[in-house]
Amino acid sequence: PEKEKQKMANGGYGSFSIGYTQIDGKDAMVLGGRAAWIANHRFALGLAGRGFFNNFNSNQYYDPNYDPNQDSEYALAGGYGGIFVEPIISPMSPVNVSFPILIGAGGVTATPANWRSWGSGSYDPNNYYYNVDAFFVLEPGVDLQFNITKWFRIALGGSYRFTSDIYLVHKYYDSQGIEQIVTVPKGALRNFNVDISFKFGWF
């Protein structure tokens, strides 16, 4: 008798992640999420997105040692998303490896890093300039996955964020009231990421 054709196994998962990277040479946090369909336990296809922000140690709330030139400090924040594919090696093993690749687009803004006027009721022109740009992104990575239960996995991941050039400037007023302009490096978003992901679904 002819062998019956095996039916394709279908599954899916949703996940969230928290990670670390450097953006523009400064420490940054990256938060992400995925939603995917899994074919035969070995290949996932879906949508993914990440949000990021850097320079979060630069707040100068009522700093008695405030230096007006610190207004040259800016922070970058934004996000990106798109489709992703993820080949999975030895999916049923207690520990396995996958290779997610995200292709998409995003946006980034340059904002003042010093928010001294918040809560004071006063207007500070240094705090009200925002510059925004869009970019394309390609992010290949590798996840080391631990199968905790049939429906839950934890993954330790690493990836590299390739982006198109960004064009941003930060404007501020120096201690003499003269407008100054700082140009953000075009490749400020390109760097490695490390993260931990929590995946829930039917694997």
Side-chain angles (χ1 to χ4, degrees), residues 92-105:
M92 310 313 291
S93 299
V95 180
N96 56 68
V97 178
S98 70
F99 298 92
I101 302 172
L102 185 154
I103 303 170

Side-chain angles (χ1 to χ4, degrees), residues 94-180:
V95 180
N96 56 68
V97 178
S98 70
F99 298 92
I101 302 172
L102 185 154
I103 303 170
V108 58
T109 181
T111 67
N114 301 324
W115 304 101
R116 299 171 316 286
S117 67
W118 279 38
S120 67
S122 62
Y123 171 76
D124 184 345
N126 294 345
N127 286 349
Y128 289 84
Y129 183 79
Y130 300 87
N131 197 201
V132 180
D133 197 18
F135 59 89
F136 294 101
V137 62
L138 170 65
E139 187 173 349
V142 58
D143 282 357
L144 180 64
Q145 301 187 120
F146 300 87
N147 295 351
I148 309 301
T149 70
K150 290 183 178 180
W151 52 268
F152 176 51
R153 292 181 176 181
I154 294 176
L156 301 178
S159 61
Y160 190 89
R161 186 175 50 253
F162 295 96
T163 71
S164 56
D165 290 345
I166 58 172
Y167 298 91
L168 295 174
V169 297
H170 168 60
K171 296 181 181 180
Y172 69 99
Y173 294 92
D174 63 19
S175 55
Q176 282 74 47
I178 300 173
E179 184 180 77
Q180 303 292 334

Side-chain angles (χ1 to χ4, degrees), residues 5-133:
K5 293 182 179 179
Q6 283 189 328
K7 293 182 179 179
M8 183 174 68
N10 290 287
Y13 76 86
S15 73
F16 65 93
S17 64
I18 181 169
Y20 167 84
T21 186
Q22 284 207 334
I23 292 176
D24 193 21
K26 303 178 180 70
D27 293 337
M29 180 176 288
V30 182
L31 303 175
R34 296 177 188 166
W37 163 68
I38 305 174
N40 280 336
H41 310 288
R42 298 180 180 279
F43 182 81
L45 173 66
L47 299 175
R50 291 182 184 263
F52 59 83
F53 59 96
N54 77 341
N55 213 10
F56 38 78
N57 294 321
S58 294
N59 268 347
Q60 303 293 328
Y61 283 104
Y62 310 108
D63 184 354
N65 300 314
Y66 165 62
D67 176 1
N69 290 322
Q70 288 180 342
D71 282 325
S72 62
E73 283 288 312
Y74 59 87
L76 297 180
Y80 56 94
I83 62 171
F84 81 96
V85 295
E86 183 183 20
I88 305 167
I89 309 300
S90 300
M92 310 313 291
S93 299
V95 180
N96 56 68
V97 178
S98 70
F99 298 92
I101 302 172
L102 185 154
I103 303 170
V108 58
T109 181
T111 67
N114 301 324
W115 304 101
R116 299 171 316 286
S117 67
W118 279 38
S120 67
S122 62
Y123 171 76
D124 184 345
N126 294 345
N127 286 349
Y128 289 84
Y129 183 79
Y130 300 87
N131 197 201
V132 180
D133 197 18

